[in-house]
Amino acid sequence: MKALLSKFSHLSTINLILALRAMSILVQLCLVLFVTFALHYDIPLFPVLTIVLIEVCFNGVSYWRYQKKLRHGSVDIAIQLLADVLFLAMLLYFSGGATNAFISLLLIPIAIAAVSLPPSGLMLVACTAVLTYSLLLWTMPMHVMHGNMEGHFIGMWINFLFSAVVVSIVVAYLARAIKQHEIKLAQYREQQLKRERIIALGVASAQVTHNLATPIATMNLLIDELMEENIENQDVVKDLKQQVERCNASLHAFRETSEQIRTDQKFHINSDFLLNQLEQHCRLTYPESRFEFTSSLHKVVLASDASLLPALINIIDNAVRANVDIEQGVVKVVEKTTGGEWHLEVIDSGHGFFVEQLEKLGDYVQPSEHGFGISILLSNTSIERLSGKLTLSNAASGGAVVTLTLPIIKH
């Protein structure tokens, strides 16, 4: 039994409906033969077997058609469920109509529609099933509706109507609640995987920083000794001294940033001050690159921490790398404010994101010819810590567009 359920669990909704219909066809044939030859009921075999044969042909054609079709939409599922209602209605019509005990099987297509169809499709299938029951009740012979039997059949119809409403509402609500729970669970797992990556990157970064401290200190001592010996090419030694001091400053800044992130220190920052810092970094670090800064007239206050500016610098660095092979490439930095949100767009003149990359935006670590994509992962994580979001897209004129959105504390 478990093996059979596991096989059904891997089927799509269409294939599951086709498999259930194939099983129901076998059950229908067995029941028709049993009530005809064992119970000696007077059932018109020719029309009943003709309907079963049509059902077999329809199921075979549907199976052949949907094997070639990769995607199955709600319309396909609705057509199959409406066909089931129609086939069941015809079989019931020739086997007792509304008096047949199997008329409650009309609830099965409603239950499947409640799980797999939107509200409009569910309403269509449910109304069709109720209308089918009503027509079967309406076409019953008058000699059957004698005495208290008329009230009994009407009561059965009311009970079916109530059951259809309950199944439509309750099953649909439970199905949507389960889907929402699965979506939240998938998002939680994705966040857990992202946190594990960040922790692994943080451990690796801390180890590299610790390992670099000793060699840099040794180089600093050697450079001091070279400067004291008054050797030739003192300019080269001074340049080396500046580079080593720059490395020391970077290590010191990394330690301070790590400490602030560890203690979760947040502060408020003006948008114009943040943009000025970013522009100063661009002019000093990439003097050969072209930048166009567009500032908003509305100055706002943002929530920030020590990781916000490095996250913005990572985005700028990626945009500059994208313009390496582009002549007259420009990196545009556009600041906007809309409602309660502050936007910063970084637009490069490169080739933009590939379709495969845009389809996998949930996984920000994507290797490319310029790097491993770790900077985007770190930038996105830093921005999410500040209740912001990072959006990747392609510009209409070419190039990639990275949009940073942060909530405004006050204007």
Side-chain angles (χ1 to χ4, degrees):
M1 187 67 180
K2 290 182 179 180
L4 182 61
L5 291 176
S6 64
K7 289 182 179 179
F8 279 141
S9 63
H10 292 86
L11 295 177
S12 63
T13 304
I14 286 289
N15 291 328
L16 180 61
I17 293 174
L18 297 179
L20 292 176
R21 185 184 295 143
M23 296 173 59
S24 68
I25 290 173
L26 294 176
V27 174
Q28 290 167 13
L29 286 174
C30 294
L31 286 176
V32 168
L33 296 177
F34 177 74
V35 299
T36 301
F37 297 103
L39 301 181
H40 303 289
Y41 282 7
D42 187 14
I43 295 178
L45 285 178
F46 180 75
V48 170
L49 294 178
T50 301
I51 295 170
V52 174
L53 180 61
I54 296 174
E55 197 172 357
V56 171
C57 295
F58 179 80
N59 203 48
V61 172
S62 299
Y63 179 79
W64 172 79
R65 179 176 181 271
Y66 291 120
Q67 288 301 313
K68 293 185 176 181
K69 192 174 181 181
L70 298 178
R71 296 185 178 181
H72 309 137
S74 300
V75 177
D76 300 318
I77 299 175
I79 291 174
Q80 294 297 317
L81 294 178
L82 291 175
D84 285 331
V85 174
L86 178 61
F87 289 134
L88 185 58
M90 291 188 295
L91 289 173
L92 292 172
Y93 178 79
F94 290 104
S95 58
T99 62
N100 195 316
F102 291 100
I103 197 168
S104 59
L105 293 177
L106 287 172
L107 291 173
I108 295 179
I110 299 177
I112 298 176
V115 175
S116 57
L117 291 180
S120 58
L122 170 61
M123 186 67 66
L124 176 61
V125 175
C127 291
T128 304
V130 172
L131 180 61
T132 299
Y133 195 126
S134 303
L135 290 176
L136 290 174
L137 183 63
W138 182 266
T139 56
M140 285 180 59
M142 294 301 298
H143 66 274
V144 179
M145 308 287 288
H146 62 82
N148 294 327
M149 295 305 297
E150 181 178 1
H152 173 72
F153 291 132
I154 294 176
M156 289 178 57
W157 178 83
I158 295 175
N159 180 59
F160 177 83
L161 180 61
F162 177 76
S163 301
V165 173
V166 171
V167 168
S168 300
I169 295 176
V170 175
V171 176
Y173 173 77
L174 293 177
R176 281 158 180 76
I178 293 174
K179 287 181 180 179
Q180 291 295 328
H181 177 71
E182 291 178 350
I183 291 173
K184 292 181 179 179
L185 186 60
Q187 292 175 348
Y188 175 76
R189 289 175 178 173
E190 184 179 353
Q191 292 295 327
Q192 284 294 104
L193 291 175
K194 191 180 296 184
R195 291 191 186 99
E196 292 177 0
R197 291 178 184 175
I198 297 301
I199 292 173
L201 289 172
V203 171
S205 301
Q207 186 65 37
V208 170
T209 304
H210 178 74
N211 294 337
L212 285 176
T214 301
I216 290 176
T218 304
M219 291 174 61
N220 201 9
L221 291 175
L222 292 175
I223 291 172
D224 290 338
E225 291 180 1
L226 290 175
M227 294 181 68
E228 291 176 357
E229 292 180 359
N230 296 320
I231 62 173
E232 297 181 356
N233 298 325
Q234 285 290 328
D235 294 336
V236 176
V237 177
K238 290 180 180 178
D239 290 339
L240 289 175
K241 180 71 172 178
Q242 290 178 356
Q243 297 302 321
V244 171
E245 289 177 352
R246 184 177 177 183
C247 292
N248 280 324
S250 298
L251 289 177
H252 181 69
F254 177 79
R255 293 191 185 97
E256 288 185 350
T257 302
S258 301
E259 180 63 21
Q260 290 178 4
I261 293 175
R262 186 183 66 84
T263 57
D264 196 20
Q265 298 180 13
K266 291 185 172 62
F267 52 87
H268 292 174
I269 187 172
N270 293 327
S271 60
D272 55 345
F273 177 74
L274 180 62
L275 198 64
N276 288 335
Q277 283 189 311
L278 191 61
E279 185 175 359
Q280 183 179 3
H281 168 80
C282 294
R283 305 299 184 192
L284 294 177
T285 309
Y286 302 104
E288 71 282 357
S289 300
R290 296 176 56 196
F291 294 91
E292 291 182 4
F293 284 83
T294 304
S295 178
S296 174
L297 297 178
H298 303 283
K299 307 304 177 183
V300 296
V301 178
L302 307 172
S304 178
D305 61 7
S307 64
L308 178 58
L309 185 59
L312 297 178
I313 291 175
N314 286 335
I315 297 173
I316 294 292
D317 292 343
N318 286 338
V320 172
R321 293 192 191 100
N323 288 349
V324 169
D325 301 327
I326 306 298
E327 295 184 1
Q328 305 297 324
V330 180
V331 177
K332 298 180 180 179
V333 181
V334 182
E335 180 195 15
K336 299 178 182 178
T337 55
T338 57
E341 293 181 335
W342 179 78
H343 305 275
L344 187 70
E345 294 183 354
V346 180
I347 308 170
D348 60 55
S349 303
H351 303 289
F353 296 105
F354 296 105
V355 177
E356 293 80 6
Q357 291 175 312
L358 292 176
E359 290 178 351
K360 298 178 181 179
L361 289 182
D363 186 5
Y364 287 91
V365 180
Q366 299 196 21
S368 65
E369 59 181 357
H370 298 296
F372 296 100
I374 296 177
S375 61
I376 292 294
L377 171 64
L378 297 176
S379 298
N380 179 69
T381 304
S382 300
I383 293 167
E384 285 183 346
R385 291 178 66 252
L386 300 172
S387 302
K389 62 180 180 180
L390 197 66
T391 306
L392 310 181
S393 61
N394 287 327
S397 57
V401 181
V402 181
T403 304
L404 164 68
T405 303
L406 288 174
I408 295 176
I409 302 302
K410 63 180 180 179
H411 290 270

